[in-house]
Amino acid sequence: MSVYIELVIFNNFFVDAMIAIATGMVRRKRMRVWRILIVATIGSAAATAYAIAPTWAQILTRVLLAPFMCIILFNPQGKSMAYKIGDYIATLAAFILLTFFTGGVIYGASYALGVDIKSYAVLGITAMGISALMLSARLIVRKRNAPKAAMRKITVSAAGKVINAQALCDSGNLLVDEVSGLPVVILSKSMGKSFDSLDILGYIEVSTVGGEDSLALINIDKLSVDGKSYKALGALSHKSFAGFDVILQNSMF
């Protein structure tokens, strides 16, 4: 049976985009639409050219494509190069595992149903594979979040001051400073006053239930959560919070 080029392009673009989104969900990474589109385009182009590429190019594609796609997808996070490398390796591992899982579901379902993987009928099988992928990603995220307490006792060190505070674990806080790559926690209005002597590094745009807001950023020397220390930036909220003073970034719990 002949291979339809438009089928290869469409299938791989869609699958690569969904794998990228699922990886972001599992790793709790902030996802940019333009990054996902670039990665999906590269993946579909590589899959289309793979069959006619020389052997050495096929080997390079197998070895380098996934690492290259993960570099484009997400900025590694961490207070040092070692942390950033570890974060990148964990993200790459999740991307590869989800890729193999999706491929296994698609090919397994095609074999079980007697559907030729090169035919248009495989579009339905691909949809099944993607559905299984997204469901698995959601279950992984839910399992990771389930045992976590909503609150944490933390210590914030900045401007020569050390303050103990109550912090909210908010999986929706995906804020990362684009310049430094550091995670961003949100400080309440009262907490921010404790560090009013610090210089403003810049501003970050945030989305809340109340709408869009622009919050000033300050440097935090050390933020300790459950015995782990993080280098982070603090976004100064214009509001006070009920029962806590800091909203943690989702990579901190």
Side-chain angles (χ1 to χ4, degrees):
M1 177 176 286
S2 60
V3 180
Y4 297 97
I5 189 67
E6 68 275 15
L7 178 63
V8 174
I9 295 174
F10 175 80
N11 260 10
N12 282 278
F13 184 91
F14 183 63
V15 169
D16 287 334
M18 293 301 104
I19 291 173
I21 293 172
T23 302
M25 293 170 58
V26 171
R27 292 289 297 143
R28 297 194 293 188
K29 296 279 191 179
R30 187 178 184 182
M31 290 176 280
R32 302 270 187 182
V33 174
W34 65 269
R35 290 179 182 268
I36 295 172
L37 293 177
I38 290 176
V39 163
T41 301
I42 292 173
S44 60
T48 304
Y50 186 84
I52 59 174
T55 302
W56 64 266
Q58 292 180 345
I59 295 174
L60 285 179
T61 299
R62 293 174 185 172
V63 174
L64 299 179
L65 184 60
F68 180 64
M69 292 168 77
C70 284
I71 289 175
I72 296 175
L73 269 177
F74 308 110
N75 293 321
Q77 298 177 12
K79 62 182 180 180
S80 66
M81 184 56 66
Y83 277 88
K84 290 181 179 181
I85 292 174
D87 182 71
Y88 170 74
I89 291 175
T91 301
L92 176 61
F95 183 88
I96 292 174
L97 288 174
L98 290 170
T99 300
F100 277 106
F101 171 79
T102 306
V105 170
I106 292 173
Y107 279 92
S110 298
Y111 178 79
L113 298 175
V115 176
D116 195 313
I117 198 68
K118 299 177 182 179
S119 70
Y120 277 103
V122 81
L123 291 174
I125 302 298
T126 300
M128 290 174 56
I130 293 300
S131 299
L133 169 69
M134 302 310 293
L135 177 61
S136 299
R138 290 182 65 87
L139 290 175
I140 292 172
V141 172
R142 181 176 296 179
K143 185 175 181 180
R144 290 181 63 187
N145 290 339
K148 306 295 184 180
M151 295 289 182
R152 291 284 194 278
K153 291 183 178 179
I154 67 169
T155 301
V156 181
S157 302
K161 300 178 181 179
V162 178
I163 299 177
N164 296 317
Q166 193 82 348
L168 173 69
C169 299
D170 183 3
S171 60
N173 180 10
L174 307 173
L175 296 176
V176 176
D177 178 48
E178 293 292 339
V179 177
S180 64
L182 293 174
V184 177
V185 299
I186 302 177
L187 308 180
S188 68
K189 182 178 180 180
S190 56
M191 184 82 160
K193 290 181 179 179
S194 301
F195 302 116
D196 56 7
S197 61
L198 285 175
D199 294 332
I200 302 299
L201 302 177
Y203 292 83
I204 189 168
E205 301 298 321
V206 300
S207 298
T208 67
V209 292
E212 300 290 330
D213 202 356
S214 180
L215 305 183
L217 290 173
I218 62 171
N219 184 62
I220 294 176
D221 298 325
K222 185 172 72 172
L223 190 148
S224 299
V225 183
D226 294 336
K228 295 182 179 181
S229 296
Y230 299 89
K231 177 68 175 175
L233 299 183
L236 304 179
S237 175
H238 305 303
K239 302 178 181 179
S240 295
F241 307 141
F244 58 93
D245 282 305
V246 179
I247 299 178
L248 295 176
Q249 204 255 16
N250 69 352
S251 64
M252 297 178 174
F253 55 89

